[in-house]
Amino acid sequence: LRTHDGTLISVTNPGEAAPDANGDFVGRTSPRFEVADGPHGWLRRSTFVGTLKTNAEGTRARIEVYRVA
C-alpha cells in the first residue's frame, strides 16, 4: 500500500477461507503490516483481525480489518 503521504506499507494477510452456499469465499484473516517508524509505525506494533469475502469468479474481494485493543 502507499498512503496519502507517500509511505509504503507491506501487508501480509494470512488466513483461511472456504466457499459458502453461493460459491463465494468467506473467511478470517490476521493481517500484519511492515512499515518504517514514523506516523504509521503503530500499524507494525498493533494486532489486527479481519474478515474476507470474494465472489465466486474471483473478480472482487472485500477485506474488513479491525484493530484489537
Side-chain angles (χ1 to χ4, degrees), residues 7-65:
T7 301
L8 291 175
I9 301 172
S10 176
V11 182
T12 304
N13 203 25
E16 295 186 15
D20 66 9
N22 298 321
D24 298 336
F25 280 85
V26 294
R28 304 281 186 258
T29 66
S30 54
R32 288 175 285 210
F33 300 90
E34 292 181 34
V35 60
D37 286 331
H40 306 288
W42 64 273
L43 290 165
R44 188 181 62 253
R45 297 184 298 274
S46 299
T47 301
F48 297 90
V49 295
T51 59
L52 164 71
K53 183 169 184 177
T54 66
N55 64 337
E57 297 79 26
T59 58
R60 289 185 317 231
R62 178 182 177 113
I63 300 173
E64 294 183 5
V65 176

Side-chain angles (χ1 to χ4, degrees), residues 1-9 40:
L1 302 173
R2 184 182 304 268
T3 65
H4 67 284
D5 63 4
T7 301
L8 291 175
I9 301 172
H40 306 288

